[in-house]
Each structure stands twice: as C-alpha cells, then as structure tokens.
C-alpha cells in the first residue's frame, strides 16, 4: 500500500502526522485489521489481539482468505464493497464478533480493505445498556406527564367563622412542619383544598403534589398505582410503570379516601410510611423516597379501627397532626362569605352579573343543614344562577334548589316526630325495597345504622 510517510492527506489538507494516526489505531478499543488487495494481512492493532487472543506476529503476513475466509475483511475484498454488521467466528478461534469492513480506495483505486470488530458480548452489553437507557427515557417522559403541582393555597380557603379559623391555624402550623397530616371531615368540607394549601405553604411547595384517590382505583390495581411495577410483573403489565410514591419524591403525596383501602394494602402502606422505601411490583430494586404524606377521608377512621377494618398502627402513623374540618352546618358564619366568593366565580364562568345574596336568602341558606357541605353550596348557587338575571339572589330563588329535608319539611304538615320517622322509614323501604341490599341502602340514606333500622321496623310494625 502506498502512503505518505509524514502526513495523512485528505482532500489536500494535511490532517495528522502518521505516528499520531498509528497511536490512535493502537489506542482504540475496537479490533482493527488491514489487508491488501490480495488478502495479505498488513496490520492488526492491540485491541485485535485483546479481542481474538491471537498475537500480532501470528497474524501478520498471513493471507486473510486462508485464515478467515468467511470474515468481513475477506468478504469486503471479494465483493469490493462495504460489509456491515457481519456476525462470525474469527478464524482459528472460538471468538464470536460483529464486524464492519470497507475497501480502502485511493485515487479511485482499491488498495485493500480494513475491518473493525468487537466481541459480541460487548455489543450485547451495549444493547442491554441502550435498552436500559431507553427505558429510563421512556419512564422519565412518562413521569413528566404525570407530575402535578398543587393548585390552591390558603388564600383560596374562604370563611370567617371561629371554627374555621381554629382549623386554619392548625393547618398553617402543619404546613411549616414536615409531619404527616390526617384530614377528617364530611364530604365537601374542603379536605382536598386543605391538602393543596398545606403543600403550597410548605418547604416542598416547588416539588410535586401527587394525589391518589384510593377509592377510585380498583383494588387489584392500587398496589401498582402506589408502587409502580416492572414490565411483565402481571398480565397487562406491558411496560414499566412509575408509581405515585416515586412521582411524589421531593414533594407531597395526598392519599385521598384513605379509609377505603384494603387491609393487605394497609400493611404495605405502613412499611412505606415507616421506612420511606418500597419496591415496584415485580421489581427487586429498593426505591427510597423523600415525601410528606397527607391523608384524608370522610369516613370515621376510629370506628373502622374499632371494627378491625383499619389497622390501628397505620392509623397512628397517619394521625400525627389531625385536622378535623367542621361541617358547614356547624359554621354558618362562613356561608355568606363563601357564597360571595362562589358567586364571583360563577359570574366569570357564566357571564352573569349577580351582586350577591339578599338578607332572606342568607337566612334560607343558614337554615339548611348542608349534607353536601361547601360542594353542595357551590352546586346550589350554580343551579340558581342558570337563567338568573336579577342582581341579588333571593330566598325564593334558592329554596327550590335546597334538596330534601328542609324544603320538604316546609311543605309538610306539622305532626308528631315519631309519626314523621315512621313515614320516612316507610318511604325509604318502598323506594329501595325490603331485601338486605335495599335495607342497607335505606339505612345509609336515612343515616342510621342497619340495627337501628331493624328496631324501627319492629317498632312501627312495618
Ligand atoms: N372554605 C372554602 N372556601 C372556598 N371553597 C371551598 C371551601 N371549602 C371547600 N370549598 C370548595 O368546595 C368543593 C369541595 O371541596 P373538596 O373537594 O376539598 O372537599 P372534600 O372534603 O375533599 O370532599 P370529599 O370528601 O367529597 O372528597 C371544592 O370545589 C372546594 O374548592
Ligand atoms: Mg376530596
């Protein structure tokens, strides 16, 4: 082969001295072998010996068509073409490699060929590494879409009652600490709003706020929702999945409806809260997390503990700071102010121009028992505002929208309370039926226990 003794030329530009080029070829971690047109082996680098185990002196000046007739170098010489991704065993060895070979052409004339190759396990390792990296990238992009931030702060919690202010003070102090918070209160009292506000006022406010609705996720999927899973961990686990705890790292996890999780999962949850570590479903790697936990439920957790449906140790783990948000009927001073804020939002949303509530409307709203709390107040005002074009909402406008008891009671004739109880129970049984399921539903709607319902059925001879 002809060459420039001093410098390598490419397109007339002097690039590298030949000794530097030789140094490079010796240093690269892939095997290099060069043969001339007739197959005489002219050069092998250090990595060649390392990969194949063949010393340079045993290889040089042999003919490639004899020693490795099926290799990529022989192929490239024979076909006078590039050969890529060629998998074969190096002649005279048991070493399997993947090679790429190219003809060496100078001034349009083919002078020989060069092959570069690597041990197949190196490639397999690289592929494995690539697969792992791809997985991480996939997980991360998946994660980006799932990480949520808190949406509300303490300034969104409206009210001026003493009861609410007491609770707000506890919540503000809780925000300043890193302790686990348990939010208790009836449906619609603002537990989720408080959870957001506590996160937002905490040192973790720039971290994620991740909510899991424990009642909404089917029991068999909840574990993987919490902890994530490894691909193939169970039927349907077609990809790796990051769990909510992992997503919450550096931030807050909000376990909503915590009273609804099974005893099996309660045990697993307890471990995470104690150790701040867990494994993905089907995974072996232990994942550590740094997060604050806020849990909420509208169920009576103490009662669930007493009846064995909620672990006592988990209850105490969660109940570090307990915040009981009182129902709206116990803080009627808040109604007018909250209603004012809701009306402002409705005006923006519905394009209405309602200025507020008339005095008799405030009175009517205050006389109602608000089983659905603030959420119900929002719904009532939204229904009132549809098609409303006055400036102040009156009692007459709201009364038809107050569900159930109070409006029904107004149209009801006065009677003995026990008579009214009998009528209500009878109506509930007519509506839901006298099967076990019907009775359970009737008891739930009447807000009495099943045992009490049975007693009353006996008492009134229904
Ligand atoms: N003090 C408040 N000021 C303003 N809005 C409130 C207040 N309390 C609750 N809300 C609003 O009432 C609605 C219900 O609140 P939230 O969802 O936080 O209740 P919850 O206690 O989580 O109810 P559930 O137990 O049914 O999940 C929300 O739209 C919330 O913004
Ligand atoms: Mg809620």
């Amino acid at each position: 082969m002809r060459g420039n003794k001093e410098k390598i030329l490419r397109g007339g530009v002097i690039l590298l001295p030949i000794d530097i080029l030789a140094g490079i070829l010796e240093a690269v971690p892939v095997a290099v072998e060069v043969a001339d047109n007739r197959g005489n082996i002219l050069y092998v680098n250090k990595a060649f010996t390392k990969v194949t185990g063949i010393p340079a002196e045993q290889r040089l000046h042999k003919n490639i068509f004899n020693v490795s007739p099926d290799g990529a170098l022989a192929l490239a010489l024979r076909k006078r073409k590039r050969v890529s991704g060629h998998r074969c065993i190096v002649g005279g060895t048991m070493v399997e490699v993947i090679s790429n070979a190219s003809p060496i052409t100078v001034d349009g004339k083919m002078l020989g060929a060069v092959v570069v190759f690597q041990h197949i396990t190196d490639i397999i390792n690289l592929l494995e590494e690539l697969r792992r990296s791809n997985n991480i990238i996939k997980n991360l992009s998946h994660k980006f879409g799932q990480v949520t931030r808190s949406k509300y702060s303490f300034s969104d919690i409206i009210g001026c009652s003493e009861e609410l202010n007491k609770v707000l003070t506890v919540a503000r102090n809780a925000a300043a600490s890193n302790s686990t918070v348990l939010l208790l209160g009836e449906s619609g009292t603002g537990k989720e709003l408080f959870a957001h506000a506590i996160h937002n006022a905490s040192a973790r406010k720039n971290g994620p706020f991740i909510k899991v609705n424990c009642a909404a996720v089917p029991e068999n999927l909840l574990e993987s929702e919490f902890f994530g899973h490894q691909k193939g961990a169970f039927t349907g686990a077609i990809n790796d999945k990051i769990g909510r705890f992992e997503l919450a790292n550096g931030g807050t996890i909000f376990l909503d409806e915590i009273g609804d999780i099974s005893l099996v999962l309660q045990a697993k949850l307890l471990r995470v809260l104690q150790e701040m570590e867990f494994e993905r479903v089907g995974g072996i790697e232990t994942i550590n997390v740094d997060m604050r936990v806020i849990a909420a439920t509208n169920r009576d957790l103490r009662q669930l503990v007493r009846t064995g449906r909620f672990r006592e140790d988990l209850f105490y783990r969660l109940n570090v700071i307990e915040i009981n948000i009182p129902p709206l009927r116990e803080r009627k001073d808040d109604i007018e102010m909250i209603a004012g804020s809701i009306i402002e939002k409705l005006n923006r949303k519905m394009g209405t121009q309602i200025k507020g509530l008339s005095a008799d409307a405030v009175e009517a709203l205050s006389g109602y028992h608000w089983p659905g709390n603030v959420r119900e107040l929002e719904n009532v005002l939204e229904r009132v505002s549809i098609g409303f074009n006055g400036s102040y909402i009156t009692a007459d406008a709201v009364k038809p929208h107050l569900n159930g008891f109070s409006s029904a009671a107004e149209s009801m004739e006065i009677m003995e309370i026990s008579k009214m109880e009998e009528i209500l129970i009878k109506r509930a049984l007519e509506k839901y039926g006298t099967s076990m399921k019907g009775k359970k539903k009737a008891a739930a709607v009447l807000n009495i226990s099943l045992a009490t319902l049975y007693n009353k059925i006996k008492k009134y001879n229904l």
Side-chain angles (χ1 to χ4, degrees), residues 162-295:
E162 204 182 310
E163 293 80 358
L164 183 72
N165 276 322
K166 263 193 219 151
V167 174
L168 279 171
T169 307
V170 181
R172 283 209 173 85
N173 289 336
S177 79
N178 198 30
S179 307
T180 301
V181 177
L182 179 61
L183 293 163
L184 300 174
E186 288 179 10
S187 179
T189 46
K191 295 182 294 296
E192 182 157 354
L193 193 56
F194 268 76
H196 279 269
I198 290 170
H199 170 80
N200 227 334
S202 76
R204 298 171 176 272
K205 68 171 176 218
N206 293 321
F209 176 86
I210 304 293
K211 170 179 159 173
V212 198
N213 187 330
C214 304
V217 183
E219 168 67 32
N220 60 331
L221 295 183
L222 196 55
E223 184 175 0
S224 127
E225 186 73 16
F226 274 165
F227 308 118
H229 62 242
Q230 219 72 16
K231 184 174 168 180
F234 48 86
T235 337
I238 48 172
N239 275 315
D240 287 358
K241 176 189 164 86
I242 297 189
R244 299 263 142 178
F245 282 111
E246 220 173 320
L247 288 175
N249 198 17
T252 300
I253 190 152
F254 174 42
L255 303 172
D256 203 7
E257 318 289 2
I258 190 76
D260 290 80
I261 67 168
S262 70
L263 284 165
V264 176
L265 218 54
Q266 287 175 29
K268 297 191 174 168
L269 188 56
L270 183 68
R271 179 185 158 213
V272 185
L273 301 188
Q274 276 166 346
E275 325 275 346
M276 286 290 164
E277 63 177 39
F278 58 91
E279 287 88 33
R280 287 187 183 171
V281 178
I284 39 167
E285 192 193 343
T286 298
I287 299 168
N288 290 291
V289 277
D290 162 38
M291 62 186 172
R292 134 96 70 116
V293 178
I294 302 180

Side-chain angles (χ1 to χ4, degrees), residues 17-43:
I18 195 120
D19 51 344
I20 291 192
L21 179 77
I24 293 172
L25 284 172
E26 287 302 294
V28 289
V30 287
V32 179
E33 187 176 33
V34 178
D36 70 12
N37 246 339
R38 280 162 309 179
N40 286 323
I41 298 170
L42 301 177
Y43 173 79

Side-chain angles (χ1 to χ4, degrees), residues 263 266 303-311:
L263 284 165
Q266 287 175 29
Q303 173 66 15
L304 294 180
V305 169
R306 275 194 294 274
T307 52
R309 278 174 293 164
F310 202 85
R311 288 178 71 116

